[in-house]
PDB file of all heavy atoms in Angstrom:
ATOM      1  N   THR A 167      -6.010  30.226  17.174  1.00  0.00           N
ATOM      2  CA  THR A 167      -4.781  30.356  17.852  1.00  0.00           C
ATOM      3  C   THR A 167      -4.035  29.003  17.794  1.00  0.00           C
ATOM      4  O   THR A 167      -4.608  27.920  17.935  1.00  0.00           O
ATOM      5  CB  THR A 167      -5.069  30.684  19.390  1.00  0.00           C
ATOM      6  OG1 THR A 167      -5.851  31.828  19.468  1.00  0.00           O
ATOM      7  CG2 THR A 167      -3.795  30.762  20.041  1.00  0.00           C
ATOM      8  N   ALA A 168      -2.712  29.101  17.463  1.00  0.00           N
ATOM      9  CA  ALA A 168      -1.871  27.959  17.183  1.00  0.00           C
ATOM     10  C   ALA A 168      -1.698  27.337  18.577  1.00  0.00           C
ATOM     11  O   ALA A 168      -1.542  27.748  19.634  1.00  0.00           O
ATOM     12  CB  ALA A 168      -0.510  28.331  16.776  1.00  0.00           C
ATOM     13  N   VAL A 169      -1.962  25.877  18.471  1.00  0.00           N
ATOM     14  CA  VAL A 169      -1.759  24.961  19.748  1.00  0.00           C
ATOM     15  C   VAL A 169      -1.041  23.733  19.344  1.00  0.00           C
ATOM     16  O   VAL A 169      -0.717  23.423  18.075  1.00  0.00           O
ATOM     17  CB  VAL A 169      -3.144  24.567  20.274  1.00  0.00           C
ATOM     18  CG1 VAL A 169      -3.966  25.790  20.656  1.00  0.00           C
ATOM     19  CG2 VAL A 169      -3.949  23.710  19.300  1.00  0.00           C
ATOM     20  N   THR A 170      -0.664  22.969  20.300  1.00  0.00           N
ATOM     21  CA  THR A 170       0.033  21.661  20.218  1.00  0.00           C
ATOM     22  C   THR A 170      -0.682  20.544  20.789  1.00  0.00           C
ATOM     23  O   THR A 170      -1.284  20.836  21.776  1.00  0.00           O
ATOM     24  CB  THR A 170       1.521  21.771  20.800  1.00  0.00           C
ATOM     25  OG1 THR A 170       2.214  22.861  20.136  1.00  0.00           O
ATOM     26  CG2 THR A 170       2.375  20.476  20.531  1.00  0.00           C
ATOM     27  N   SER A 171      -0.585  19.396  20.212  1.00  0.00           N
ATOM     28  CA  SER A 171      -1.118  18.245  20.884  1.00  0.00           C
ATOM     29  C   SER A 171       0.021  17.224  20.969  1.00  0.00           C
ATOM     30  O   SER A 171       0.910  17.049  20.123  1.00  0.00           O
ATOM     31  CB  SER A 171      -2.475  17.596  20.067  1.00  0.00           C
ATOM     32  OG  SER A 171      -1.893  17.095  18.791  1.00  0.00           O
ATOM     33  N   TYR A 172      -0.076  16.445  22.045  1.00  0.00           N
ATOM     34  CA  TYR A 172       1.008  15.402  22.247  1.00  0.00           C
ATOM     35  C   TYR A 172       0.307  14.335  23.019  1.00  0.00           C
ATOM     36  O   TYR A 172      -0.424  14.372  23.988  1.00  0.00           O
ATOM     37  CB  TYR A 172       2.219  15.933  23.091  1.00  0.00           C
ATOM     38  CG  TYR A 172       3.211  15.053  23.208  1.00  0.00           C
ATOM     39  CD1 TYR A 172       4.358  15.126  22.334  1.00  0.00           C
ATOM     40  CD2 TYR A 172       3.320  13.967  24.139  1.00  0.00           C
ATOM     41  CE1 TYR A 172       5.404  14.174  22.349  1.00  0.00           C
ATOM     42  CE2 TYR A 172       4.261  13.136  24.150  1.00  0.00           C
ATOM     43  CZ  TYR A 172       5.445  13.167  23.255  1.00  0.00           C
ATOM     44  OH  TYR A 172       6.439  12.233  23.381  1.00  0.00           O
ATOM     45  N   ALA A 173       0.585  13.080  22.537  1.00  0.00           N
ATOM     46  CA  ALA A 173      -0.013  11.880  23.165  1.00  0.00           C
ATOM     47  C   ALA A 173       1.174  10.788  23.032  1.00  0.00           C
ATOM     48  O   ALA A 173       1.930  10.653  22.145  1.00  0.00           O
ATOM     49  CB  ALA A 173      -1.196  11.353  22.446  1.00  0.00           C
ATOM     50  N   PRO A 174       1.321   9.972  24.182  1.00  0.00           N
ATOM     51  CA  PRO A 174       2.218   8.878  24.123  1.00  0.00           C
ATOM     52  C   PRO A 174       2.005   7.891  23.012  1.00  0.00           C
ATOM     53  O   PRO A 174       0.833   7.585  22.654  1.00  0.00           O
ATOM     54  CB  PRO A 174       2.079   8.321  25.407  1.00  0.00           C
ATOM     55  CG  PRO A 174       1.308   9.218  26.419  1.00  0.00           C
ATOM     56  CD  PRO A 174       0.586  10.144  25.354  1.00  0.00           C
ATOM     57  N   SER A 175       2.974   7.431  22.451  1.00  0.00           N
ATOM     58  CA  SER A 175       2.813   6.358  21.402  1.00  0.00           C
ATOM     59  C   SER A 175       3.106   5.047  21.918  1.00  0.00           C
ATOM     60  O   SER A 175       3.998   4.806  22.671  1.00  0.00           O
ATOM     61  CB  SER A 175       3.858   6.664  20.232  1.00  0.00           C
ATOM     62  OG  SER A 175       3.924   5.689  19.321  1.00  0.00           O
ATOM     63  N   ALA A 176       2.449   4.186  21.380  1.00  0.00           N
ATOM     64  CA  ALA A 176       2.725   2.562  21.517  1.00  0.00           C
ATOM     65  C   ALA A 176       3.836   2.010  20.776  1.00  0.00           C
ATOM     66  O   ALA A 176       4.306   0.991  20.943  1.00  0.00           O
ATOM     67  CB  ALA A 176       1.386   1.771  21.379  1.00  0.00           C
ATOM     68  N   LEU A 177       4.249   2.916  19.715  1.00  0.00           N
ATOM     69  CA  LEU A 177       5.403   2.364  18.852  1.00  0.00           C
ATOM     70  C   LEU A 177       6.653   2.487  19.540  1.00  0.00           C
ATOM     71  O   LEU A 177       6.893   3.380  20.321  1.00  0.00           O
ATOM     72  CB  LEU A 177       5.262   3.262  17.569  1.00  0.00           C
ATOM     73  CG  LEU A 177       4.093   3.167  16.771  1.00  0.00           C
ATOM     74  CD1 LEU A 177       4.167   4.257  15.743  1.00  0.00           C
ATOM     75  CD2 LEU A 177       3.767   1.735  16.094  1.00  0.00           C
ATOM     76  N   PRO A 178       7.659   1.752  19.230  1.00  0.00           N
ATOM     77  CA  PRO A 178       8.959   1.833  19.703  1.00  0.00           C
ATOM     78  C   PRO A 178       9.557   2.970  19.172  1.00  0.00           C
ATOM     79  O   PRO A 178       9.251   3.523  18.084  1.00  0.00           O
ATOM     80  CB  PRO A 178       9.649   0.564  19.235  1.00  0.00           C
ATOM     81  CG  PRO A 178       8.968   0.169  17.998  1.00  0.00           C
ATOM     82  CD  PRO A 178       7.494   0.518  18.291  1.00  0.00           C
ATOM     83  N   PRO A 179      10.563   3.560  19.971  1.00  0.00           N
ATOM     84  CA  PRO A 179      11.274   4.936  19.487  1.00  0.00           C
ATOM     85  C   PRO A 179      11.965   4.581  18.152  1.00  0.00           C
ATOM     86  O   PRO A 179      12.485   3.452  17.905  1.00  0.00           O
ATOM     87  CB  PRO A 179      12.256   5.082  20.672  1.00  0.00           C
ATOM     88  CG  PRO A 179      11.786   4.347  21.820  1.00  0.00           C
ATOM     89  CD  PRO A 179      11.067   3.107  21.272  1.00  0.00           C
ATOM     90  N   ALA A 180      11.925   5.596  17.319  1.00  0.00           N
ATOM     91  CA  ALA A 180      12.566   5.578  16.030  1.00  0.00           C
ATOM     92  C   ALA A 180      14.175   5.458  16.250  1.00  0.00           C
ATOM     93  O   ALA A 180      14.652   6.103  17.099  1.00  0.00           O
ATOM     94  CB  ALA A 180      12.218   6.685  15.123  1.00  0.00           C
ATOM     95  N   GLN A 181      14.779   4.664  15.388  1.00  0.00           N
ATOM     96  CA  GLN A 181      16.273   4.521  15.334  1.00  0.00           C
ATOM     97  C   GLN A 181      16.899   5.946  14.920  1.00  0.00           C
ATOM     98  O   GLN A 181      16.331   6.652  14.164  1.00  0.00           O
ATOM     99  CB  GLN A 181      16.787   3.460  14.619  1.00  0.00           C
ATOM    100  CG  GLN A 181      16.319   2.053  14.986  1.00  0.00           C
ATOM    101  CD  GLN A 181      16.813   1.735  16.392  1.00  0.00           C
ATOM    102  OE1 GLN A 181      17.991   1.964  16.613  1.00  0.00           O
ATOM    103  NE2 GLN A 181      15.933   1.229  17.321  1.00  0.00           N
ATOM    104  N   ASP A 182      18.094   6.207  15.321  1.00  0.00           N
ATOM    105  CA  ASP A 182      18.792   7.434  14.954  1.00  0.00           C
ATOM    106  C   ASP A 182      19.006   7.529  13.364  1.00  0.00           C
ATOM    107  O   ASP A 182      18.979   8.544  12.754  1.00  0.00           O
ATOM    108  CB  ASP A 182      20.041   7.631  15.582  1.00  0.00           C
ATOM    109  CG  ASP A 182      19.882   7.861  17.198  1.00  0.00           C
ATOM    110  OD1 ASP A 182      18.766   8.398  17.517  1.00  0.00           O
ATOM    111  OD2 ASP A 182      20.877   7.808  17.985  1.00  0.00           O
ATOM    112  N   ASP A 183      19.246   6.353  12.950  1.00  0.00           N
ATOM    113  CA  ASP A 183      19.517   6.369  11.503  1.00  0.00           C
ATOM    114  C   ASP A 183      18.215   6.738  10.687  1.00  0.00           C
ATOM    115  O   ASP A 183      18.388   7.519   9.604  1.00  0.00           O
ATOM    116  CB  ASP A 183      19.978   4.910  10.921  1.00  0.00           C
ATOM    117  CG  ASP A 183      20.162   4.740   9.492  1.00  0.00           C
ATOM    118  OD1 ASP A 183      21.138   5.467   9.010  1.00  0.00           O
ATOM    119  OD2 ASP A 183      19.483   4.077   8.800  1.00  0.00           O
ATOM    120  N   LEU A 184      17.068   6.195  11.095  1.00  0.00           N
ATOM    121  CA  LEU A 184      15.884   6.755  10.371  1.00  0.00           C
ATOM    122  C   LEU A 184      15.649   8.220  10.569  1.00  0.00           C
ATOM    123  O   LEU A 184      15.250   8.827   9.594  1.00  0.00           O
ATOM    124  CB  LEU A 184      14.591   5.799  10.974  1.00  0.00           C
ATOM    125  CG  LEU A 184      13.251   6.205  10.556  1.00  0.00           C
ATOM    126  CD1 LEU A 184      13.172   6.118   9.069  1.00  0.00           C
ATOM    127  CD2 LEU A 184      12.144   5.581  11.341  1.00  0.00           C
TER     128      LEU A 184
END
Side-chain angles (χ1 to χ4, degrees):
T167 302
V169 302
T170 300
S171 66
Y172 188 94
S175 173
L177 297 173
Q181 298 296 316
D182 289 342
D183 181 64
L184 174 61

